[in-house]
Amino acid sequence: MNDAANSLYEANPADAYPVIEWIKRTGASVDETLAAWKDGKLAELPVGRAWDVIRIPTFEGWEVVRQLCALRVALGPVLHTQLGVEVLVPVGSAEDWDVPGSTVLVVGDTIDVPHPAVVPPHTQNARSWISAPRSEPTLTDAADLYGAYLSATATMTRTNRSGR
């Protein structure tokens, strides 16, 4: 284990193993990822091996997360960024995603992530985890996300029309 991994382990031994396993599943270098976090930087992780990413506009994204939590749907890692809310979904599960205003990130794309301990109200380079990666490899079901996204946009459209 390198110095960055040792530093993470010493800071919180119970959290070190799950974080390292989460990084390994992406195919990224554990040493480089932990070193970036230790230096206060974001780590670049590849998309398409452990998960794909659906990026939705910020306002709608927060409403989608609220709805998924209210429905008690299993919520995987969700990242808040300047570009929107990025939801990690199973690889290939968003191939038919067709919701305007959203973007699907797949093999060949990358995302920049803060350490899993960076959650609101804290941010790192304008990023924070709404739902941080955990030891179990839970991902948000793309079909559940699709339904919640359509529901959220419909709710917001009705609210905007009524002036509430």
Side-chain angles (χ1 to χ4, degrees), residues 128-164:
S128 65
W129 291 102
I130 298 170
S131 176
R134 298 176 295 276
S135 57
E136 69 278 356
T138 302
L139 296 171
T140 303
D141 182 83
D144 289 338
L145 180 64
Y146 186 86
Y149 186 81
L150 292 179
S151 176
T153 55
T155 299
M156 289 185 291
T157 300
R158 281 191 306 273
T159 302
N160 288 339
R161 280 193 212 140
S162 67
R164 292 182 192 174

Side-chain angles (χ1 to χ4, degrees), residues 25 68 72 96 109 120 133 143:
R25 285 193 297 270
L68 291 171
R72 299 184 187 266
D96 296 329
D109 293 319

Side-chain angles (χ1 to χ4, degrees), residues 92-111:
S93 67
E95 289 175 355
D96 296 329
W97 188 268
D98 62 353
V99 180
S102 62
T103 305
V104 178
L105 306 177
V106 294
V107 173
D109 293 319
T110 60
I111 60 171

Side-chain angles (χ1 to χ4, degrees), residues 71-134:
L71 294 169
R72 299 184 187 266
V73 170
L75 188 63
V78 179
L79 188 62
H80 178 242
T81 75
Q82 290 177 313
L83 299 174
V85 172
E86 298 177 345
V87 182
L88 281 59
V89 299
V91 173
S93 67
E95 289 175 355
D96 296 329
W97 188 268
D98 62 353
V99 180
S102 62
T103 305
V104 178
L105 306 177
V106 294
V107 173
D109 293 319
T110 60
I111 60 171
D112 295 325
V113 301
H115 186 281
V118 178
V119 296
H122 305 289
T123 64
Q124 183 179 15
N125 296 8
R127 292 173 183 266
S128 65
W129 291 102
I130 298 170
S131 176
R134 298 176 295 276

